[in-house]
Amino acid sequence: MTQGNADQLWDEVHDARQAFYEEVFGKLPPDILKPEHMTGVWPGGGLYKLKAEQLGSDTWLYTTFGLTNPDMPTRVSPIPGGAADPDQAELTLERKQNVPDYPGRPGYGYEIAVMTQSDEEWPLWFLQWALNAEILNDVDLLGRVENHNGLTVEDIRVGDSDWVNVLIAPASTSVPDTFGLPNGTGRLLIATTITDDEMVWSKAHGRETLLNKLASAGVGQVSHLTRASILNPEPLDYAEIDSREQAEQLANAGQLRKIHLFPLEFGGEDHASNTVYVSKAASLNKKGVDQKILRLAEQGRINSYTATPSYHSNSFIPTAIQIEASGEQAVSTRIDVW
């Protein structure tokens, strides 16, 4: 294929994909969002954030735009710290030794999107996670979705202190899951936020079954960062959890998380005396604090660590965990649980 023919095909693919999005969702904004770390790696690709007026006045869409380009999969990858000038967006690139081959697919074969009912920023964090996974690490999200009738991913960071679990599946209900392009048929994948217990439930009952259950509950594939579980809509009464056995059952069902007071990374043991059961938020907060302390310990600035739970009444669930770390630098943090 000559360069002129390649450029013409690229333009035709872009225009066909744009026509699909504007017919199904609404007019695309004039400017595409370009992740700086994809400069030269994903030429012409980017992210769109738009009000999806075709789906309703309160629906927003966040989507990749270019994973189905004919010049994908990318044949280059960025060299970490390879920019000659730190103030420049340009990256130093190197040719990939192993470029994935997806016969019959347009590029990577799909675009991936998130739908919400308000203007949010966190979906853009998720899409950048998806781009890193696919373009930089060749995880083949589409292949995994097709092989397992959907894909669940736990604890993706989508902000300074927000994390999500997602169910990634082909678009369903009112949104087409395929779109025709001059270089093949693309799939539209939708990532939907799910709760811990929904994720656990899907492992036993199937991801497609969970998607159907979300549709029946009126959630569908629209994401809500703090949505209550469709399986256990009432919040836990921590004061009523008065035994290890009860806490373990709730953890096995995805309603609590088991954590280690003295982290395994620090040499702690996976033993009953070193474990407590807490909410997802408390678990992730402690994980963040422990990672900070671990970095300081590796620098020789921390040499002492304690994590002390406090309790109320007969509850087996701690109300809070007090973390103290000391050395050349000190860290003192209280993590509230309930």
Side-chain angles (χ1 to χ4, degrees):
M1 180 180 290
T2 66
Q3 185 61 48
N5 289 340
D7 291 343
Q8 180 180 349
L9 175 61
W10 197 98
D11 290 339
E12 291 174 351
V13 168
H14 175 281
D15 293 346
R17 189 173 54 237
Q18 178 175 342
F20 166 78
Y21 270 89
E22 295 194 340
E23 178 184 356
V24 174
F25 299 108
K27 188 171 179 59
L28 296 179
D31 297 320
I32 192 169
L33 304 173
K34 297 275 194 176
E36 286 190 3
H37 69 298
M38 293 292 173
T39 302
V41 179
W42 191 30
L47 306 175
Y48 275 122
K49 168 185 174 182
L50 64 144
K51 205 164 188 180
E53 295 181 347
Q54 299 286 54
L55 301 182
S57 60
D58 59 350
T59 302
W60 286 77
L61 181 79
Y62 311 78
T63 184
T64 60
F65 196 84
L67 290 176
T68 49
N69 283 346
D71 55 358
M72 294 288 104
T74 185
R75 288 165 171 74
V76 296
S77 58
I79 300 174
D85 183 342
D87 295 327
Q88 293 180 354
E90 296 266 338
L91 299 176
T92 301
L93 306 177
E94 63 181 358
R95 183 167 293 278
K96 278 189 174 183
Q97 296 194 358
N98 298 300
V99 178
D101 182 27
Y102 303 124
R105 292 190 195 176
Y108 289 100
Y110 72 96
E111 303 292 340
I112 186 168
V114 176
M115 295 187 293
T116 67
Q117 290 186 322
S118 59
D119 184 357
E120 310 270 3
E121 286 301 316
W122 70 262
L124 297 175
W125 285 65
F126 166 78
L127 291 178
Q128 293 200 60
W129 170 88
L131 291 177
N132 290 340
E134 190 64 82
I135 295 181
L136 302 185
N137 296 299
D138 299 318
V139 299
D140 188 14
L141 286 176
L142 177 58
R144 292 169 185 251
V145 167
E146 292 179 337
N147 289 339
H148 302 287
N149 292 320
L151 176 69
T152 53
V153 188
E154 185 178 32
D155 291 349
I156 300 172
R157 187 170 186 174
V158 292
D160 292 336
S161 58
D162 289 324
W163 305 71
V164 294
N165 307 327
V166 295
L167 167 63
I168 303 174
S172 61
T173 60
S174 61
V175 178
D177 68 340
T178 61
F179 50 95
L181 298 173
N183 59 334
T185 299
R187 301 293 302 275
L188 179 61
L189 303 182
I190 305 292
T192 309
T193 53
I194 58 175
T195 59
D196 279 8
D197 58 334
E198 291 167 356
M199 173 171 284
V200 170
W201 188 89
S202 74
K203 293 176 182 178
H205 298 84
R207 293 156 180 88
E208 189 173 9
T209 308
L210 174 59
L211 188 60
N212 293 334
K213 201 169 185 66
L214 289 169
S216 298
V219 175
Q221 290 182 295
V222 177
S223 288
H224 307 264
L225 199 58
T226 57
R227 172 180 61 80
S229 166
I230 61 172
L231 303 174
N232 301 285
E234 295 300 322
L236 284 178
D237 185 349
Y238 294 102
E240 296 298 319
I241 305 170
D242 58 6
S243 69
R244 177 177 296 276
E245 291 72 23
Q246 189 179 1
E248 288 177 347
Q249 289 176 359
L250 290 167
N252 290 336
Q255 292 184 266
L256 289 173
R257 289 194 176 189
K258 170 186 170 181
I259 65 170
H260 297 94
L261 292 170
F262 196 77
L264 302 184
E265 298 88 340
F266 297 0
E269 296 183 358
D270 185 19
H271 189 272
S273 62
N274 190 40
T275 60
V276 291
Y277 295 84
V278 298
S279 64
K280 173 182 177 179
S283 168
L284 293 173
N285 286 342
K286 185 174 186 298
K287 178 180 178 180
V289 173
D290 288 344
Q291 287 176 343
K292 174 184 176 182
I293 293 173
L294 179 60
R295 289 193 295 271
L296 293 172
E298 290 172 342
Q299 297 166 9
R301 301 165 69 183
I302 291 288
N303 55 33
S304 175
Y305 175 100
T306 61
T308 306
S310 55
Y311 294 89
H312 176 70
S313 187
N314 293 325
S315 177
F316 190 78
I317 309 303
T319 55
I321 300 173
Q322 183 68 36
I323 295 178
E324 301 288 344
S326 60
E328 179 184 324
Q329 188 167 339
V331 175
S332 179
T333 301
R334 174 188 168 93
I335 297 173
D336 291 316
V337 180
W338 64 284

